[in-house]
Amino acid sequence: MDVRDLLLQQWGSCLDEEDWFPPLEKVLEDITFEQATWKSADVEMNSIWELVCHLLFFEKRFLMRFQGETANEPQAEDNDATFRLPAETLKNWKATKQEYFHVHRELGNILANAEHEDLYREVLREDNSLVLELKSLAMHDAYHIGQIVFISKMQGAWPAKRSF
């Protein structure tokens, strides 16, 4: 197995392929608007939707940088700002999920179709190549998917039996 195949497997595990942890598409499948915006009164934490916004921010920014579209890339004054929600409506919750799924798949397609030199080329405003950045983003996704599952469990929204 070469590095591209290994990374594609990790990348797929984060979105729609079952592996050691549930993929985000499955995790979010039945999350309602109310569950997406819920926060515990007892613990300082981000909501599920805020976590998805955070994941989307970094994946979208890297995608745009890789494509050389830095003029319109997402901006944030600090890491906390990457968790900000758009107007809290059901339509925007659905749009955030769909945009995240689209951006994640687009990065996967780029990886799958990249020439060898594209896997390791410098990316404007980035410290990492495509291979290294997607490896880091996959680990970042896995970490936050765990948080999302935990928040779902705190709400009683996590099914008692899952296929994974």
Side-chain angles (χ1 to χ4, degrees), residues 40-108:
S40 171
D42 302 328
V43 180
E44 175 107 10
M45 60 187 274
N46 292 301
S47 70
I48 290 171
W49 190 357
E50 287 170 333
L51 291 167
V52 175
C53 286
H54 174 73
L55 294 175
L56 174 60
F57 174 88
F58 287 105
E59 289 192 17
K60 185 174 183 178
R61 184 178 74 174
F62 183 77
L63 173 63
M64 294 181 83
R65 287 178 176 182
F66 184 82
Q67 294 173 330
E69 300 173 9
T70 57
N72 296 317
E73 72 181 40
Q75 300 291 319
E77 55 274 6
D78 58 27
N79 189 58
D80 290 341
T82 66
F83 293 90
R84 276 197 201 121
L85 298 180
E88 292 185 36
T89 65
L90 177 60
K91 180 179 177 183
N92 284 342
W93 164 234
K94 289 179 179 181
T96 300
K97 287 191 301 182
Q98 291 311 309
E99 185 176 14
Y100 173 81
F101 298 153
H102 171 76
V103 168
H104 193 92
R105 284 191 173 94
E106 188 63 28
L107 284 167

Side-chain angles (χ1 to χ4, degrees), residues 9-27:
Q9 184 180 24
Q10 282 185 319
W11 198 246
S13 295
C14 292
L15 184 64
D16 57 10
E17 297 172 20
E18 294 181 18
D19 202 340
W20 282 95
F21 58 92
L24 191 55
E25 197 170 55
K26 282 286 191 190
V27 170

Side-chain angles (χ1 to χ4, degrees), residues 132-152:
L132 291 176
E133 190 63 23
L134 291 190
K135 182 229 15 126
S136 293
L137 286 170
M139 292 183 348
H140 183 241
D141 285 1
Y143 171 76
H144 287 299
I145 291 168
Q147 288 180 319
I148 292 168
V149 168
F150 182 74
I151 294 167
S152 298

Side-chain angles (χ1 to χ4, degrees), residues 18 21-31 149 152-153 157-164:
E18 294 181 18
F21 58 92
L24 191 55
E25 197 170 55
K26 282 286 191 190
V27 170
L28 297 178
E29 187 173 61
D30 296 323
I31 297 293
V149 168
S152 298
K153 288 181 178 188
W158 191 254
K161 292 188 178 187
R162 300 286 295 205
S163 62
F164 40 82

